[in-house]
Amino acid sequence: EPEVTQTPSHQVTQMGQEVILRCVPISNHLYFYWYRQILGQKVEFLVSFYNNEISEKSEIFDDQFSVERPDGSNFTLKIRSTKLEDSAMYFCASGQGAYSNQPQHFGDGTRLSIL
Amino acid sequence: AQSVAQPEDQVNVAEGNPLTVKCTYSVSGNPYLFWYVQYPNRGLQFLLKYITGDNLVKGSYGFEAEFNKSQTSFHLKKPSALVSDSALYFCAVSPRRTGANNLFFGTGTRLTVIP
């Protein structure tokens, strides 16, 4: 069964540095998402992406965040100047359909640790 | 505002006994409802969803969920628990619309099945 893959599995970065988290969604999927999960808390929506543009973003997704689909396979999340509170597990997800009842497929996540 | 409540942080059940993981929601309109499971160091895996129709929906690994509109609940159930069911379970809702769907998650319930 096709999977969403995320790299790296763990990223350690100094506060103030830029970080790029990478994802390869399932190949025939059209909708892409980023979520984050701070340790011990719930999974929170960050951003959705379709047709090479952001569909929707949450309040968390401020100007420090950006997403890109640089080629036909990768989907990246960039944090420009990381803060301590950005430490979390970041999940990429992809979905096939044009309706919000379609399940999303999640990657195993990237654990981001900001020092 | 969307909110999803999972009132129990932890549910313990003996192997072979029925299990219930509770979820209630407060969302405008008639949302789509989902259950996802998370195993250690893994991403979220889709279990089942409610779109419309029969209030009892069946999903993966023998799980089912009962939708109750009057109580705005969507409890996850399984007739006979297995030790391998031990994991973190998340209830999620999505607004009913076309296009990208942003999942709103509950805080999760850790299920432990005791041999």
Side-chain angles (χ1 to χ4, degrees), chain B residues 84-106:
Chain B
S84 57
D85 293 330
S86 299
L88 192 55
Y89 290 81
F90 289 95
C91 181
V93 302
S94 172
R96 187 175 290 257
R97 63 185 183 196
T98 58
N101 60 325
N102 317 330
L103 291 171
F104 296 92
F105 287 90

Side-chain angles (χ1 to χ4, degrees), chain A residues 57-75:
Chain A
K57 59 184 180 180
S58 72
E59 294 175 351
I60 303 168
F61 195 88
D62 61 22
D63 292 343
Q64 294 298 313
F65 291 87
S66 62
V67 289
E68 195 177 33
R69 189 155 162 81
D71 52 42
S73 59
N74 290 286
F75 179 51

Side-chain angles (χ1 to χ4, degrees), chain A residues 33 56 98 100-101 104 107-108, chain B residues 32 36 42 95 97 99 101-102:
Chain A
Y33 309 84
E56 196 164 344
S100 60
N101 60 17
Q104 295 176 22
D108 287 343
Chain B
Y32 299 124
Y36 283 80
R42 300 298 303 275
R97 63 185 183 196
N101 60 325
N102 317 330

Side-chain angles (χ1 to χ4, degrees), chain B residues 68-92:
Chain B
N68 187 316
K69 186 173 182 178
S70 62
Q71 296 184 2
T72 60
S73 67
F74 189 53
H75 301 331
L76 181 70
K77 301 182 179 186
K78 187 172 182 180
S80 178
L82 300 173
V83 172
S84 57
D85 293 330
S86 299
L88 192 55
Y89 290 81
F90 289 95
C91 181

Side-chain angles (χ1 to χ4, degrees), chain A residues 14-83:
Chain A
Q14 292 288 330
M15 186 173 61
Q17 295 296 305
E18 175 182 287
V19 65
I20 297 176
L21 309 182
R22 303 181 190 279
C23 169
V24 179
I26 294 173
S27 61
N28 63 344
H29 284 185
L30 302 175
Y31 295 85
F32 313 112
Y33 309 84
W34 284 100
Y35 294 84
R36 80 170 185 192
Q37 184 180 30
I38 295 172
L39 185 63
Q41 299 186 24
K42 65 181 177 182
V43 178
E44 300 173 292
F45 166 76
L46 292 179
V47 65
S48 58
F49 191 87
Y50 169 71
N51 200 25
N52 284 321
E53 61 182 23
I54 290 175
S55 297
E56 196 164 344
K57 59 184 180 180
S58 72
E59 294 175 351
I60 303 168
F61 195 88
D62 61 22
D63 292 343
Q64 294 298 313
F65 291 87
S66 62
V67 289
E68 195 177 33
R69 189 155 162 81
D71 52 42
S73 59
N74 290 286
F75 179 51
T76 62
L77 174 70
K78 182 194 291 187
I79 309 175
R80 255 180 283 279
S81 178
T82 50
K83 303 186 283 279

